C-alpha cells in the first residue's frame, strides 16, 4: 500500500497522505510520494485543482516521522519543490503538526474541521528546517510569530482568524467542503484560474529558504551528474569532454 495516493475525478486531483496507523507521519516514502504527486498534478492537463488531505480523522499529518526521519522533507511541500500555477487546497482534520502545518501554510487555500488543531513545536524541540519562516505573507505577523515562538497548539478558529485557514467545517467534513470548493474552481476557465494564481503568487515575497531549496537541489544535481564525472575525466585524460546533459 502506497503512503501517498492520487485519484483524479472531475478535474480535481485528490492527494492523500495514507499512513493512518502512524497519524500520517512523513517518512521518506511519503516525501517521494508527495514529490511524484506534485509533479503529476503540475503536468496533467485534466487536473485543474488539487485537494490534499490525510487519511482518517486523527491527523492531517503529525509531521516528520520521529522513528524514521525523512531526508529533504521540503520536497513534499506544495508550491515549493514543483512550480505550479494550479490551485492547491489543504483539507485538515485532526492534528496538523510541524511539517504538516507548513504544508497548510504553503497551500493556496485551506479548509479545517472546527475541532482541528495546528501545532508547530520546533522551538520546543530545537529543530527548524526554515520553510515556516516564510509565514508573514500568509497569516498575520504578530499572531503567527507568537504561535511559532511559543509552540502552543492553535485552534482551527484561531487559525481562521489570523488567515491560515479559509473556511471552517463541522467535525469530519473538511474534505467534503474542500472538494466542494475545488469543484467550483474546476468548473471555471483554467487558463484564467492559473493566471490569477500565478500573478497573485508573484506578489508574495519569497523567504530565503523558499529561494534556497530549489537552487540547492539544482546544484546537487550538477554535483551528482554524469557531466561532472565526464568533465573531470576529460581533464585528466587531456581530451575534449563529451557532455550528455545528464
Amino acid at each position: 500500500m502506497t503512503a501517498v495516493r492520487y485519484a483524479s475525478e472531475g478535474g480535481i486531483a485528490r492527494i492523500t497522505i495514507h499512513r493512518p496507523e502512524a497519524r500520517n507521519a512523513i517518512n521518506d516514502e511519503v516525501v517521494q510520494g508527495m514529490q511524484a504527486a506534485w509533479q503529476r498534478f503540475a503536468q496533467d492537463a485534466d487536473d485543474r485543482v488539487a485537494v490534499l488531505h490525510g487519511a482518517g480523522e486523527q491527523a492531517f499529518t503529525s509531521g516528520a516521522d520521529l522513528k524514521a526521519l525523512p531526508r529533504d522533507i521540503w520536497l513534499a511541500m506544495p508550491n515549493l519543490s514543483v512550480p505550479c500555477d494550479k490551485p492547491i487546497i489543504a483539507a485538515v482534520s485532526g492534528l496538523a503538526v510541524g511539517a504538516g502545518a507548513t504544508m497548510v501554510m504553503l497551500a493556496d487555500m485551506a479548509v479545517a474541521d472546527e475541532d482541528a488543531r495546528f501545532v508547530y513545536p520546533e522551538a520546543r524541540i530545537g529543530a527548524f528546517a526554515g520553510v515556516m519562516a516564510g509565514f508573514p505573507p500568509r497569516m498575520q505577523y504578530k499572531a503567527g510569530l507568537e504561535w511559532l515562538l511559543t509552540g502552543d497548539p492553535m485552534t482551527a478558529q484561531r487559525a481562521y482568524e489570523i488567515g491560515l485557514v479559509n473556511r471552517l467545517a463541522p467535525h469530519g467534513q473538511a474534505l467534503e467542503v474542500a472538494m466542494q470548493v475545488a469543484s467550483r474552481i474546476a468548473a471555471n476557465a483554467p487558463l484564467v484560474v492559473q493566471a490569477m494564481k500565478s500573478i497573485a503568487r508573484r506578489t508574495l515575497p519569497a523567504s530565503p529558504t523558499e529561494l534556497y531549496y530549489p537552487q540547492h537541489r539544482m546544484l546537487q544535481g550538477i554535483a551528482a551528474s554524469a557531466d561532472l564525472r565526464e568533465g573531470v575525466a576529460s581533464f585528466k585524460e587531456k581530451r575534449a569532454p563529451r557532455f550528455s546533459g545528464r
Side-chain angles (χ1 to χ4, degrees):
M1 296 178 66
T2 180
V4 176
R5 298 182 176 183
Y6 190 111
S8 300
E9 184 177 356
I12 303 171
R14 178 171 161 180
I15 301 171
T16 309
I17 303 173
H18 199 272
R19 296 190 71 209
E21 75 288 350
R23 294 190 176 186
N24 301 316
I26 301 170
N27 58 8
D28 280 329
E29 185 181 2
V30 172
V31 170
Q32 294 163 9
M34 290 301 305
Q35 171 75 356
W38 297 134
Q39 290 173 338
R40 177 175 173 181
F41 175 58
Q43 297 168 4
D44 193 328
D46 293 330
D47 290 335
R48 300 180 176 184
V49 187
V51 173
L52 171 65
H53 72 111
E57 296 184 1
Q58 283 194 320
F60 172 72
T61 166
S62 56
D65 190 337
L66 299 181
K67 296 180 180 178
L69 286 172
R71 296 169 296 177
D72 296 325
I73 197 169
W74 71 275
L75 293 173
M77 298 295 155
N79 290 314
L80 184 58
S81 65
V82 178
C84 183
D85 288 338
K86 295 186 282 188
I88 299 167
I89 305 172
V92 183
S93 293
L95 290 169
V97 180
T102 305
M103 284 181 171
V104 178
M105 184 269 290
L106 288 174
D108 301 300
M109 288 168 267
V111 178
D113 283 353
E114 59 190 4
D115 55 354
R117 293 292 183 272
F118 299 84
V119 186
Y120 198 76
E122 270 73 349
R124 291 188 173 186
I125 63 177
F128 185 50
V131 180
M132 182 58 91
F135 80 88
R138 298 170 174 92
M139 68 181 102
Q140 293 176 15
Y141 174 75
K142 291 181 180 179
L145 191 62
E146 177 186 347
W147 171 54
L148 297 187
L149 298 187
T150 62
D152 292 340
M154 180 165 60
T155 65
Q157 177 63 38
R158 183 60 172 161
Y160 172 75
E161 291 170 356
I162 69 173
L164 180 61
V165 168
N166 293 66
R167 299 187 181 205
L168 299 179
H171 172 76
Q173 295 184 32
L175 177 59
E176 179 182 347
V177 173
M179 291 295 287
Q180 291 171 358
V181 175
S183 180
R184 292 173 62 186
I185 295 172
N188 292 336
L191 294 181
V192 174
V193 168
Q194 291 170 38
M196 287 176 171
K197 171 179 171 177
S198 176
I199 295 170
R201 281 191 62 82
R202 290 178 187 179
T203 68
L204 297 179
S207 71
T209 48
E210 289 177 75
L211 296 172
Y212 166 76
Y213 280 120
Q215 295 180 40
H216 177 62
R217 188 184 186 199
M218 177 181 64
L219 296 176
Q220 280 184 317
I222 293 172
S225 69
D227 276 355
L228 174 60
R229 294 191 295 273
E230 168 61 14
V232 172
S234 67
F235 178 80
K236 290 179 178 178
E237 297 167 11
K238 298 181 179 180
R239 59 174 174 79
R242 296 182 293 272
F243 294 126
S244 62
R246 294 192 294 270

